[in-house]
Amino acid sequence: MKKSFLSPILLCALCACSSYDDNDLRDMTQPVISEQGITANPVECQQYQPGEVIPFCYVFTDNVELGKFNIEIHNNFDHHTHSGSAIECEMDEKKEAGAKAWVFNRGYIIPTGQRTYTARVDIPIPANAETCDYHFMIRLSNRAGWQSLKAVAIKVK
């Protein structure tokens, strides 16, 4: 019986072309979204007015390498939850979202090689944004694909 050496060679070639490196293989931890050493913004229960700017600022860290982050803002008119925050904010009455309910969703790439990154983004609130309760969602991924999530309750008043 003749053995084929093609399969092991093909397997080695595929492994050599992989987009992962040794750092990806040993990175088994989630990145961290932190308020440490800065004045983080926004924080729970913070209030804004239509037409204002939210000056987003958080510190991101990872043991190997950061990847990207996403900011999503959506209405919380129905009082749903995303996390087990110990802080409860005073909420407006439940209501149906109207045509002017504000939605924001944007992704940002973190420069290559960063293990610590202070993210700063100015997010304008539309002047005609519907006033009520909103969720400010921060999603952070490291290069290996692990993700962390932070949900902050804010109000547009």
Side-chain angles (χ1 to χ4, degrees):
M1 192 188 243
K2 197 174 187 183
K3 291 187 178 182
S4 172
F5 291 100
L6 184 57
S7 293
I9 292 170
L10 184 58
L11 181 61
C12 288
L14 288 174
C15 290
C17 295
S18 172
S19 65
Y20 294 103
D21 64 18
D22 291 341
N23 287 338
D24 292 324
L25 296 175
R26 71 172 184 251
D27 188 354
M28 299 300 291
T29 60
Q30 292 176 280
V32 176
I33 301 168
S34 174
E35 301 173 18
Q36 198 167 28
I38 61 165
T39 302
N41 198 66
V43 294
E44 292 286 348
C45 309
Q46 203 157 9
Q47 294 187 14
Y48 300 93
Q49 293 183 348
E52 286 186 334
V53 170
I54 298 174
F56 171 78
C57 184
Y58 274 86
V59 173
F60 302 146
T61 59
D62 188 65
N63 63 323
V64 177
E65 185 176 356
L66 293 163
K68 57 188 172 182
F69 68 99
N70 174 272
I71 298 172
E72 176 197 340
I73 303 166
H74 62 265
N75 77 70
N76 186 21
F77 300 173
D78 63 355
H79 298 180
H80 67 272
T81 62
H82 290 281
S83 68
S85 176
I87 299 172
E88 287 197 29
C89 306
E90 184 178 324
M91 300 182 79
D92 291 346
E93 297 220 6
K94 287 183 181 183
K95 68 178 190 177
E96 292 290 322
K100 296 184 182 178
W102 180 35
V103 176
F104 181 90
N105 193 343
R106 193 161 297 150
Y108 304 87
I109 301 295
I110 297 170
T112 303
Q114 302 295 308
R115 289 176 43 183
T116 301
Y117 182 75
T118 302
R120 289 184 167 84
V121 179
D122 286 336
I123 302 168
I125 302 170
N128 65 347
E130 191 168 354
T131 58
C132 204
D133 302 298
Y134 285 85
H135 280 145
F136 192 107
M137 310 288 293
I138 307 161
R139 289 179 182 85
L140 172 64
S141 299
N142 64 14
R143 183 168 178 232
W146 294 99
Q147 186 179 78
S148 292
L149 171 71
K150 180 173 182 72
V152 178
I154 64 171
K155 188 179 295 284
V156 176
K157 203 72 172 156

Coordinates of all heavy atoms in Angstrom, one line a residue, residues 15-64:
C15 N -1.6 26.0 6.9 CA -1.3 26.6 8.2 C -0.3 27.8 8.0 O -0.4 28.8 8.7 CB -0.6 25.6 9.1 SG -1.8 24.3 9.7
A16 N 0.6 27.7 7.0 CA 1.5 28.8 6.7 C 0.8 30.0 6.2 O 1.2 31.2 6.4 CB 2.6 28.3 5.8
C17 N -0.3 29.9 5.5 CA -1.1 31.0 4.9 C -2.1 31.6 5.9 O -2.8 32.5 5.6 CB -1.8 30.5 3.7 SG -0.7 30.0 2.4
S18 N -2.2 31.0 7.1 CA -3.2 31.5 8.0 C -3.0 33.0 8.4 O -1.8 33.4 8.5 CB -3.2 30.6 9.3 OG -4.0 31.2 10.3
S19 N -4.0 33.7 8.7 CA -3.9 35.1 9.1 C -3.6 35.3 10.6 O -3.4 36.4 11.1 CB -5.1 35.9 8.7 OG -6.2 35.4 9.5
Y20 N -3.5 34.2 11.3 CA -3.2 34.3 12.8 C -1.8 34.1 13.0 O -1.1 33.4 12.2 CB -4.0 33.2 13.5 CG -5.5 33.4 13.5 CD1 -6.3 32.6 12.6 CD2 -6.1 34.4 14.3 CE1 -7.7 32.9 12.6 CE2 -7.5 34.6 14.2 CZ -8.2 33.8 13.4 OH -9.6 34.0 13.3
D21 N -1.3 34.6 14.1 CA 0.1 34.4 14.5 C 0.1 33.8 15.9 O -0.9 33.6 16.5 CB 1.0 35.6 14.3 CG 0.6 36.7 15.2 OD1 -0.1 36.5 16.2 OD2 1.0 37.9 15.0
D22 N 1.3 33.6 16.5 CA 1.4 33.0 17.8 C 0.7 33.9 18.9 O 0.2 33.3 19.8 CB 2.9 32.9 18.2 CG 3.6 31.8 17.4 OD1 2.9 31.0 16.8 OD2 4.8 31.8 17.3
N23 N 0.7 35.2 18.7 CA 0.0 36.0 19.7 C -1.5 35.7 19.7 O -2.1 35.7 20.8 CB 0.2 37.5 19.3 CG 1.6 38.0 19.7 OD1 2.3 37.4 20.5 ND2 2.0 39.1 19.0
D24 N -2.1 35.5 18.5 CA -3.5 35.2 18.5 C -3.8 33.9 19.2 O -4.9 33.7 19.8 CB -4.0 35.1 17.0 CG -4.0 36.5 16.3 OD1 -4.3 37.5 17.0 OD2 -3.7 36.5 15.1
L25 N -2.9 32.9 19.0 CA -3.2 31.6 19.6 C -3.1 31.6 21.1 O -3.7 30.8 21.8 CB -2.2 30.6 19.0 CG -2.3 30.3 17.5 CD1 -1.2 29.4 17.1 CD2 -3.7 29.8 17.2
R26 N -2.3 32.5 21.7 CA -2.2 32.5 23.2 C -3.1 33.6 23.8 O -3.1 33.7 25.0 CB -0.7 32.7 23.6 CG -0.1 34.1 23.3 CD 1.2 34.2 24.0 NE 1.7 35.5 23.8 CZ 2.7 35.8 23.0 NH1 3.3 34.9 22.3 NH2 3.1 37.1 22.9
D27 N -3.7 34.4 23.0 CA -4.6 35.4 23.6 C -6.0 34.8 23.8 O -6.8 34.6 22.9 CB -4.8 36.6 22.7 CG -5.5 37.8 23.3 OD1 -6.0 37.6 24.4 OD2 -5.6 38.8 22.7
M28 N -6.2 34.4 25.1 CA -7.5 33.8 25.4 C -8.3 34.6 26.4 O -9.2 34.1 27.1 CB -7.2 32.4 26.1 CG -6.4 31.5 25.1 SD -7.4 31.1 23.6 CE -8.7 30.2 24.2
T29 N -8.0 35.9 26.5 CA -8.8 36.8 27.4 C -9.4 37.9 26.7 O -9.0 38.4 25.6 CB -7.8 37.4 28.5 OG1 -6.8 38.2 27.8 CG2 -7.2 36.3 29.3
Q30 N -10.5 38.4 27.3 CA -11.3 39.5 26.7 C -10.5 40.8 26.9 O -9.9 41.0 28.0 CB -12.6 39.6 27.4 CG -13.6 38.5 27.1 CD -14.9 38.7 27.9 OE1 -14.9 38.3 29.1 NE2 -15.9 39.2 27.2
P31 N -10.7 41.8 26.0 CA -10.2 43.1 26.3 C -11.0 43.8 27.4 O -12.1 43.3 27.7 CB -10.3 43.8 25.0 CG -11.5 43.1 24.3 CD -11.4 41.7 24.8
V32 N -10.5 44.9 27.9 CA -11.1 45.6 29.1 C -11.5 47.0 28.7 O -10.7 47.7 28.1 CB -10.2 45.6 30.3 CG1 -10.8 46.4 31.4 CG2 -9.8 44.2 30.7
I33 N -12.7 47.4 29.0 CA -13.2 48.7 28.8 C -13.1 49.4 30.2 O -13.8 48.9 31.2 CB -14.7 48.7 28.3 CG1 -14.8 48.0 27.0 CG2 -15.2 50.2 28.3 CD1 -16.2 47.7 26.6
S34 N -12.3 50.4 30.4 CA -12.0 51.0 31.7 C -12.2 52.5 31.8 O -12.1 53.2 30.8 CB -10.6 50.6 32.0 OG -10.2 51.2 33.2
E35 N -12.5 52.9 33.0 CA -12.6 54.3 33.3 C -11.4 54.8 34.1 O -11.3 55.9 34.5 CB -13.9 54.5 34.2 CG -15.1 54.1 33.5 CD -16.4 54.2 34.5 OE1 -16.3 54.9 35.5 OE2 -17.4 53.6 34.1
Q36 N -10.4 53.9 34.3 CA -9.3 54.1 35.2 C -8.4 55.2 34.6 O -7.9 55.1 33.4 CB -8.5 52.8 35.4 CG -7.6 52.8 36.5 CD -7.1 51.4 36.8 OE1 -7.0 50.6 36.0 NE2 -6.8 51.2 38.1
G37 N -8.0 56.2 35.4 CA -7.1 57.2 35.1 C -7.6 58.3 34.2 O -6.8 59.2 33.8
I38 N -8.9 58.3 33.9 CA -9.4 59.4 33.0 C -10.8 59.8 33.6 O -11.3 59.1 34.5 CB -9.7 58.9 31.6 CG1 -10.6 57.7 31.6 CG2 -8.4 58.5 30.9 CD1 -11.2 57.4 30.2
T39 N -11.4 60.8 33.0 CA -12.7 61.1 33.3 C -13.6 60.5 32.2 O -13.6 61.0 31.1 CB -13.0 62.7 33.3 OG1 -12.1 63.2 34.3 CG2 -14.4 63.0 33.7
A40 N -14.1 59.3 32.5 CA -14.8 58.6 31.4 C -16.2 59.3 31.1 O -16.8 59.9 32.0 CB -15.1 57.2 31.9
N41 N -16.6 59.2 29.9 CA -17.8 59.8 29.4 C -18.3 59.0 28.2 O -17.6 58.6 27.3 CB -17.6 61.2 29.0 CG -18.8 62.0 29.0 OD1 -19.5 62.2 30.0 ND2 -19.2 62.4 27.8
P42 N -19.6 58.6 28.2 CA -20.7 59.0 29.2 C -20.6 57.9 30.4 O -20.1 56.9 30.2 CB -22.0 58.8 28.4 CG -21.7 57.8 27.4 CD -20.2 58.0 27.0
V43 N -21.3 58.3 31.4 CA -21.4 57.4 32.6 C -22.9 57.2 32.9 O -23.7 58.0 32.3 CB -20.7 57.9 33.8 CG1 -19.2 57.9 33.6 CG2 -21.2 59.3 34.2
E44 N -23.2 56.3 33.7 CA -24.6 56.0 34.0 C -25.4 57.2 34.4 O -24.9 58.0 35.2 CB -24.7 54.9 35.1 CG -24.2 53.6 34.8 CD -25.2 52.8 33.9 OE1 -26.3 53.2 33.6 OE2 -24.7 51.7 33.4
C45 N -26.6 57.3 33.8 CA -27.6 58.3 34.2 C -27.3 59.7 33.7 O -28.0 60.7 34.1 CB -27.9 58.4 35.7 SG -28.3 56.7 36.4
Q46 N -26.2 59.9 32.9 CA -25.9 61.2 32.4 C -27.0 61.7 31.4 O -27.6 60.9 30.7 CB -24.5 61.1 31.7 CG -23.8 62.4 31.6 CD -22.3 62.2 31.4 OE1 -21.8 61.1 31.2 NE2 -21.6 63.3 31.5
Q47 N -27.2 63.0 31.5 CA -28.2 63.6 30.7 C -27.6 64.6 29.6 O -26.7 65.3 29.9 CB -29.2 64.4 31.5 CG -30.0 63.4 32.4 CD -31.1 64.1 33.2 OE1 -31.5 65.2 32.9 NE2 -31.7 63.5 34.2
Y48 N -28.2 64.6 28.5 CA -27.8 65.5 27.4 C -29.1 66.1 26.8 O -30.2 65.6 27.0 CB -27.1 64.7 26.3 CG -25.8 64.0 26.8 CD1 -25.9 62.7 27.3 CD2 -24.6 64.7 26.8 CE1 -24.7 62.0 27.8 CE2 -23.5 64.0 27.3 CZ -23.6 62.7 27.8 OH -22.4 62.1 28.3
Q49 N -28.8 67.1 25.9 CA -29.9 67.8 25.2 C -29.8 67.6 23.7 O -28.6 67.5 23.3 CB -30.0 69.2 25.6 CG -30.3 69.5 27.0 CD -30.5 71.0 27.3 OE1 -30.1 71.8 26.5 NE2 -31.0 71.3 28.4
P50 N -30.9 67.5 23.0 CA -30.7 67.5 21.5 C -29.9 68.6 21.1 O -29.9 69.7 21.6 CB -32.2 67.7 21.0 CG -33.0 67.2 22.2 CD -32.3 67.6 23.4
G51 N -29.0 68.4 20.1 CA -28.1 69.4 19.6 C -26.7 69.4 20.3 O -25.8 70.0 19.7
E52 N -26.6 68.8 21.4 CA -25.3 68.7 22.2 C -24.4 67.7 21.6 O -24.9 66.8 20.7 CB -25.5 68.4 23.6 CG -26.1 69.5 24.5 CD -26.1 69.2 26.0 OE1 -26.2 68.0 26.3 OE2 -26.1 70.2 26.7
V53 N -23.2 67.6 22.0 CA -22.2 66.6 21.6 C -21.9 65.8 22.9 O -21.7 66.3 24.0 CB -20.9 67.3 21.1 CG1 -19.8 66.3 20.9 CG2 -21.2 68.0 19.8
I54 N -21.8 64.4 22.7 CA -21.4 63.5 23.7 C -19.9 63.3 23.5 O -19.5 62.7 22.5 CB -22.1 62.2 23.7 CG1 -23.6 62.4 23.9 CG2 -21.5 61.2 24.7 CD1 -24.4 61.1 23.7
P55 N -19.0 63.8 24.4 CA -17.6 63.6 24.2 C -17.2 62.3 24.8 O -16.8 62.1 26.0 CB -17.0 64.8 25.0 CG -18.0 65.1 26.1 CD -19.4 64.7 25.5
F56 N -17.3 61.2 24.0 CA -17.0 59.8 24.4 C -15.5 59.7 24.8 O -14.6 60.2 24.0 CB -17.3 58.9 23.3 CG -16.8 57.5 23.5 CD1 -17.5 56.6 24.4 CD2 -15.7 57.0 22.9 CE1 -17.1 55.3 24.6 CE2 -15.3 55.7 23.1 CZ -16.0 54.9 24.0
C57 N -15.2 59.1 25.9 CA -13.8 58.9 26.4 C -13.8 57.7 27.3 O -14.4 57.7 28.4 CB -13.3 60.1 27.0 SG -11.5 59.9 27.5
Y58 N -13.1 56.6 26.9 CA -12.8 55.4 27.7 C -11.4 54.9 27.4 O -10.9 55.2 26.3 CB -13.9 54.3 27.4 CG -15.1 54.5 28.3 CD1 -16.2 55.3 27.9 CD2 -15.2 53.8 29.5 CE1 -17.3 55.4 28.7 CE2 -16.4 54.0 30.3 CZ -17.4 54.8 29.9 OH -18.5 54.9 30.7
V59 N -10.9 54.1 28.3 CA -9.6 53.5 28.1 C -9.8 52.0 27.8 O -10.6 51.4 28.5 CB -8.6 53.6 29.3 CG1 -7.4 52.8 29.1 CG2 -8.3 55.1 29.5
F60 N -9.2 51.5 26.7 CA -9.3 50.1 26.3 C -7.9 49.5 26.6 O -6.9 50.0 26.2 CB -9.6 50.0 24.9 CG -10.9 50.6 24.5 CD1 -11.1 51.2 23.2 CD2 -12.0 50.7 25.3 CE1 -12.3 51.8 22.8 CE2 -13.2 51.3 25.0 CZ -13.3 51.9 23.7
T61 N -7.9 48.2 27.1 CA -6.6 47.5 27.3 C -6.8 46.0 26.9 O -7.9 45.5 27.0 CB -6.2 47.6 28.8 OG1 -7.2 47.0 29.6 CG2 -5.8 49.0 29.2
D62 N -5.7 45.4 26.5 CA -5.7 44.0 26.2 C -4.3 43.5 26.5 O -3.3 44.2 26.5 CB -6.0 43.8 24.7 CG -6.2 42.3 24.4 OD1 -7.2 41.7 25.0 OD2 -5.4 41.7 23.7
N63 N -4.2 42.2 26.9 CA -3.0 41.6 27.3 C -2.1 41.4 26.0 O -0.8 41.3 26.2 CB -3.2 40.3 28.0 CG -3.9 39.2 27.1 OD1 -4.7 39.5 26.3 ND2 -3.5 38.0 27.3
V64 N -2.6 41.3 24.8 CA -1.8 41.1 23.6 C -1.9 42.2 22.6 O -1.0 42.9 22.4 CB -2.1 39.7 23.0 CG1 -1.3 39.5 21.7 CG2 -1.9 38.6 23.9

